[in-house]
């Protein structure tokens, strides 16, 4: 039987690191890369909100239309979004293998101060189980969402990549519910658990999946094919999570592991300044400098272009 490590080695590397990009996000005005850095083996204060709680959003809260859909941009670098300097791209590989899409979730906490939000405050309110398969990703919003206190809530985006190490992704952002007519509050969320056959899933409001770092809330067996995912295997239906409000019942999951299931070597954090390239030059996008492999001009940093498979 192949081990998880062997399976990882056999699979094509189809996904880059990803992040949600919007002026409502904490860390939006950073170096354009750090926001997408995978979270693995980190202490709580470094993975929670990606360590960006002190980097306040520069724009207004993201609008969540009750009963409508919010569309967000997800890419490997800010430069490749509508907020960047290059043609929009998302760098998730070509072609996309649908079997490797583990979905994304949007969560909300009904507090107006991000520094007061705790992991158990977040409730997943929308899931896109085909995420990330493009730059723009749509998330339906439950029609019964109540308004936010003082006109603002705290939200976060979560993603898991199948073809990746044991790591999670999180981008926190400020949000607000527009057109809210709901009067029932969101219920107390519980941690999800693996339920591939659709039985014994956690019903009702569920927390995001925190794992591979300090203070996990889900159990992971270590089996590559059972990675935490925002889809039916972990009890999430695709679309608006309409069962999250008070009065809905949630089955109690088993106890979460007290320590991360697997602590891997933490991906080194790229410097926010120019980075040396293999050819001795510098660029603002680590790994995409002069001499790096490329398939198109969008794979190369700054003014570099793709020539004969190399950035130059």
């Amino acid at each position: 039987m192949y081990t998880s490590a062997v399976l990882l080695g056999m699979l094509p590397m189809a996904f880059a690191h990803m992040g949600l990009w919007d002026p409502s996000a904490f860390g939006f005005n950073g170096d354009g890369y750090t926001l997408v850095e995978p979270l693995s083996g980190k202490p709580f204060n470094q993975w929670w909100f990606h360590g960006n709680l002190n980097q306040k959003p520069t724009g207004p809260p993201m609008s969540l239309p009750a009963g409508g859909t919010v569309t967000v941009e997800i890419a490997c670098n800010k430069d490749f979004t509508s907020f960047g300097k290059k043609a929009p791209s998302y760098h998730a590989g070509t072609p996309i293998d649908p079997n490797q899409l583990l979905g994304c979730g949007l969560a909300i906490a009904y507090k107006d101060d991000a520094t007061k939000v705790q992991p158990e405050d977040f409730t997943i309110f929308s899931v896109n189980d085909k995420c990330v398969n493009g730059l723009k990703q749509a998330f339906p919003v439950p029609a019964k969402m109540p308004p936010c206190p003082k006109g603002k809530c705290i939200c976060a985006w979560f993603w898991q990549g199948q073809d990746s190490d044991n790591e999670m992704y999180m981008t926190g952002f400020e949000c607000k519910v527009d057109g809210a007519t709901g009067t029932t509050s969101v219920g107390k969320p519980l941690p999800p658990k693996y339920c591939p056959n659709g039985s014994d899933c956690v019903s009702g409001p569920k927390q995001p999946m925190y794992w591979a770092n300090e203070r996990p809330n889900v159990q992971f067996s270590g089996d590559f094919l059972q990675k935490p995912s925002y889809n039916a295997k972990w009890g999430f239906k695709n679309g608006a999570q309409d069962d999250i409000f008070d009065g809905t019942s949630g089955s109690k999951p088993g106890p979460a592991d007290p320590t991360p299931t697997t602590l891997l070597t933490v991906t080194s954090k790229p410097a926010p300044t120019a980075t040396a390239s293999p050819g001795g030059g510098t660029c603002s996008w680590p790994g995409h400098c002069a001499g790096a492999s490329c398939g198109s001009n969008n794979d190369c940093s700054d003014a570099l272009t793709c020539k004969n498979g190399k950035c130059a």
Side-chain angles (χ1 to χ4, degrees):
M1 178 178 292
Y2 288 105
T3 64
S4 297
V6 172
L7 284 171
L8 275 170
M10 294 173 62
L11 289 170
M13 291 304 293
F15 293 94
H17 303 156
M18 292 290 178
L20 180 150
W21 297 97
D22 189 82
S24 63
F26 291 83
F28 176 75
N29 273 353
D31 58 17
Y33 174 82
T34 303
L35 196 67
V36 310
E37 187 180 71
L39 303 171
S40 176
K42 293 182 179 290
F44 179 76
N45 65 345
Q46 290 184 18
W47 72 259
W48 184 239
F49 279 79
H50 225 112
N52 289 328
L53 277 175
N54 63 336
Q55 298 185 42
K56 304 295 184 183
T58 58
M62 183 183 296
S63 174
L64 307 176
T69 299
V70 59
T71 299
V72 300
E73 293 188 41
I74 300 171
C76 67
N77 192 292
K78 182 179 177 180
D79 261 355
F80 295 99
T81 69
S82 63
F83 307 104
K85 303 174 183 177
K86 296 192 175 184
S89 172
Y90 66 106
H91 286 262
T94 303
I96 292 295
D97 181 355
N99 295 321
Q100 293 186 28
L101 298 175
L102 297 190
C104 302
L106 293 185
I108 190 168
Y110 274 82
K111 294 183 176 181
D112 63 352
D113 183 351
T115 64
K116 303 293 178 60
V117 176
Q118 296 298 313
E120 58 271 18
D121 293 327
F122 273 132
T123 300
I124 294 291
F125 68 88
S126 187
V127 164
N128 181 333
D129 64 7
K130 299 298 186 292
C131 179
V132 178
N133 63 354
L135 172 66
K136 295 185 178 181
Q137 299 290 292
F139 292 86
V141 180
K144 295 181 180 179
M145 293 281 278
C148 293
K150 301 179 183 178
K152 183 175 71 175
C153 288
I154 304 300
C155 287
W157 166 83
F158 295 88
W159 172 60
Q160 309 294 156
Q162 173 89 307
D163 189 7
S164 65
D165 289 328
N166 287 356
E167 58 196 25
M168 57 171 278
Y169 292 78
M170 174 187 186
T171 302
F173 59 97
E174 294 180 343
C175 57
K176 62 176 181 174
V177 180
D178 285 330
T181 58
T183 57
T184 305
S185 62
V186 172
K188 181 178 176 60
L190 295 174
K193 64 177 179 178
Y194 184 63
C195 55
N197 298 319
S199 60
D200 201 29
C201 296
V202 175
S203 62
K206 291 178 279 294
Q207 297 174 12
M209 291 174 286
Y210 312 124
W211 71 291
N213 296 276
E214 187 179 59
R215 291 177 60 177
N217 70 339
V218 296
Q219 299 182 80
F220 173 48
S221 67
D223 186 333
F224 172 73
L225 298 177
Q226 297 180 12
K227 290 181 69 173
S229 54
Y230 291 94
N231 55 32
K233 289 184 178 181
W234 282 80
F236 292 100
K237 72 167 188 173
N238 188 44
Q241 307 297 292
D242 295 315
D243 61 351
I244 63 175
F245 305 100
D246 272 351
T248 56
S249 61
S251 61
K252 187 175 182 180
D257 291 339
T259 57
T261 54
T262 306
L263 292 182
L264 305 175
T265 302
V266 178
T267 303
S268 59
K269 184 176 181 179
T273 54
T275 304
S277 74
T282 60
C283 76
S284 60
W285 187 11
H288 299 260
C289 303
S293 298
C294 60
S296 71
N297 291 343
N298 285 342
D299 294 327
C300 301
S301 182
D302 305 322
L304 298 174
T305 58
C306 187
K307 297 180 180 179
N308 299 321
K310 297 290 183 180
C311 292

